Amino acid sequence: MPDKKVKRLVTLEEYIIQAQNRFPGAKGDLSQLLRDIGLAAKIISREVNKAGITNILGFDGTTNVHGEAVKKLDLFADQQLIHALERSQITCMVISEENDGIVRLSSSEGKYVVYMDPLDGSSNIDVNVSIGSIFSIYMRESKSNGKPEEHEALQPGVKQVAAGYVLYGSSTIMVYTTGLGVSMFTLDPSIGEFILSEDDIKMPDKGKIYSINEGSYNSWDLGLKKYVKYCQVEDEKTNRPYSARYIGSMVADVHRTLMKGGIFMYPKSHKYPSGKLRLMYECNPLSFVIEQAGGMALEGEGRIMEVPPKSIHQRTPIYIGSRENVQKVRSFLREYAGREESVQA
Ligand code: AFP
């Protein structure tokens, strides 16, 4: 007889299989895909943790499709995830921050399309700050099973069948949703397994943390300037001033927002007129997770996940987090839309 006092650990594998068994007709392909990502994540986590020792840190000398310097670990993570997805032959194409065009995998009949940012926040690697891998999974829409084409990958975020991230921080965690709530797993390095640490995560409806790169203040819209000032005003009744926190890895900033509540914002600016963050492999997957946890994600006025994608590397502004905080920033953006700050004499 098992000892009832001993807490039973549920591994990621076990959890995925149990979830799949709730759908008798399921063939297990999505489960396999999630397990593949989990395996690649363990390998990336190991490499991230020993990065300093093996001299894998630092630039590899090339730039990615956005002209940003590529670090060696970005390439490593990209390759590991692509290998893992290739292995199970159920994904026909991968779109990654590190590759200009689509990457066709050998199974052109594979029914899934996977977007990923293999190592988000990689400019933080050298200073030992949390980074992460983000993924977003779609079904291939086209009936044809010929060579997959880029236009088939241009689906809005509401069509995601699963999405999530792996955060390499003080511990390595994997958070994902298949549209039935959000689950979180923590990697136990002693047994090499992701263990369920929280199921059906619900985030606070409001929070007292705001997160934005305030260095770009001068190029924000007036409504956003007013909202950030609102966050800083002292008001006991509404728990203000809020605290400012900004890591500079979206995946880590959004994870904190999921767990503690508040808001993360990356608006358009003079430097990034369409916003900096990528719709398909940063904003959509994190929006899916946040919405599933009861939060909200907007591109300003509308829902991020309803933005019709025009290109695979498209950028978008984003306001994501607790429902009340996101609604508040939207009310400021609406109130001051099209207005300029008056210059004081
Ligand atoms: P890197 O992957 O180049 O470090 O960029 C990270 C990122 O795409 C996102 O994770 C951050 O939230 C954002 O950029 C930070 O951008 P700023 O440095 O402009 O604040």
Side-chain angles (χ1 to χ4, degrees):
M1 280 284 281
D3 183 345
K4 286 198 178 124
K5 279 185 250 150
V6 178
K7 195 174 165 227
R8 215 180 81 74
L9 301 179
V10 178
T11 66
L12 174 67
E13 296 258 334
E14 219 178 324
Y15 183 89
I16 290 172
I17 290 165
Q18 279 169 12
Q20 181 197 316
N21 289 344
R22 278 186 238 135
F23 299 91
K27 278 169 58 192
D29 287 352
L30 183 60
S31 305
Q32 180 61 46
L33 221 168
L34 290 167
R35 294 205 300 266
D36 291 342
I37 292 173
L39 175 63
K42 285 189 220 172
I43 299 170
I44 298 167
S45 174
R46 191 192 59 199
E47 241 23 61
V48 167
N49 285 329
K50 66 177 192 198
I53 322 170
T54 54
N55 195 26
I56 202 170
L57 285 171
F59 296 97
D60 84 339
T62 61
T63 54
N64 69 14
V65 290
H66 314 288
E68 296 153 349
V70 174
K71 306 218 161 184
K72 288 179 197 168
L73 265 176
D74 295 33
L75 289 181
F76 179 82
D78 192 54
Q79 284 159 5
Q80 287 304 321
L81 282 159
I82 291 177
H83 284 162
L85 296 171
E86 174 77 278
R87 205 174 299 136
S88 50
Q89 299 276 299
I90 47 183
T91 302
C92 63
M93 66 174 140
V94 177
I95 296 100
S96 152
E97 186 187 24
E98 300 307 333
N99 300 289
D100 203 351
I102 61 170
V103 177
R104 293 191 179 91
L105 301 191
S106 59
S107 167
S108 59
E109 274 150 54
K111 62 182 181 203
Y112 291 105
V113 173
V114 177
Y115 278 90
M116 62 188 197
D117 183 349
L119 219 49
D120 178 59
S122 50
S123 54
N124 278 322
I125 296 172
D126 288 349
V127 288
N128 233 335
V129 168
S130 299
I131 48 179
S133 305
I134 309 176
F135 59 92
S136 165
I137 304 171
Y138 292 83
M139 297 282 287
R140 186 180 181 188
E141 273 204 325
S142 141
K143 297 268 177 297
S144 89
N145 48 17
K147 224 167 72 169
E149 298 298 338
E150 187 169 315
H151 67 86
E152 297 175 63
L154 294 175
Q155 302 182 39
V158 284
K159 295 243 169 125
Q160 291 170 104
V161 292
Y165 55 86
V166 181
L167 185 64
Y168 313 103
S170 45
S171 59
T172 295
I173 57 161
M174 178 164 168
V175 175
Y176 79 86
T177 182
T178 55
L180 298 168
V182 179
S183 315
M184 179 166 111
F185 301 81
T186 306
L187 182 63
D188 180 340
S190 64
I191 54 170
E193 292 280 3
F194 278 106
I195 304 293
L196 180 66
S197 38
E198 233 180 299
D199 205 5
D200 201 15
I201 297 175
K202 290 294 169 219
M203 65 185 298
D205 282 337
K206 60 177 176 218
K208 48 183 285 114
I209 296 177
Y210 73 98
S211 183
I212 189 166
N213 181 346
E214 282 192 73
S216 304
Y217 180 90
N218 284 332
S219 64
W220 296 344
D221 284 348
L222 184 57
L224 181 57
K225 289 179 176 170
K226 295 275 185 195
Y227 174 69
V228 168
K229 285 290 163 216
Y230 163 88
C231 295
Q232 295 167 347
V233 166
E234 286 188 21
D235 177 44
E236 230 176 282
K237 233 173 76 205
T238 51
N239 240 330
R240 286 178 289 149
Y242 298 159
S243 297
R245 296 281 185 277
Y246 190 74
I247 297 168
S249 294
M250 182 194 194
V251 59
D253 278 314
V254 171
H255 180 68
R256 182 201 54 245
T257 308
L258 172 72
M259 302 314 286
K260 296 198 162 177
I263 187 166
F264 169 81
M265 299 170 277
Y266 206 110
K268 60 187 167 59
S269 62
H270 295 154
K271 190 169 170 200
Y272 298 108
S274 310
K276 179 185 180 194
L277 303 177
R278 269 65 80 161
L279 175 66
M280 302 305 285
Y281 42 84
E282 291 182 311
C283 298
N284 270 335
L286 297 179
S287 299
F288 193 16
V289 169
I290 288 289
E291 283 198 10
Q292 281 292 311
M296 205 170 174
L298 302 176
E299 41 72 50
E301 184 56 42
R303 209 173 150 207
I304 285 281
M305 290 207 291
E306 288 176 5
V307 174
K310 294 192 184 65
S311 68
I312 53 177
H313 296 294
Q314 183 169 333
R315 297 174 192 264
T316 177
I318 186 166
Y319 303 84
I320 183 169
S322 294
R323 188 160 284 276
E324 288 188 23
N325 300 63
V326 177
Q327 282 166 343
K328 191 74 180 172
V329 71
R330 178 167 60 185
S331 71
F332 273 89
L333 294 173
R334 279 179 181 164
E335 187 179 344
Y336 293 94
R339 283 165 58 182
E340 298 281 325
E341 205 156 20
S342 58
V343 181
Q344 303 290 319

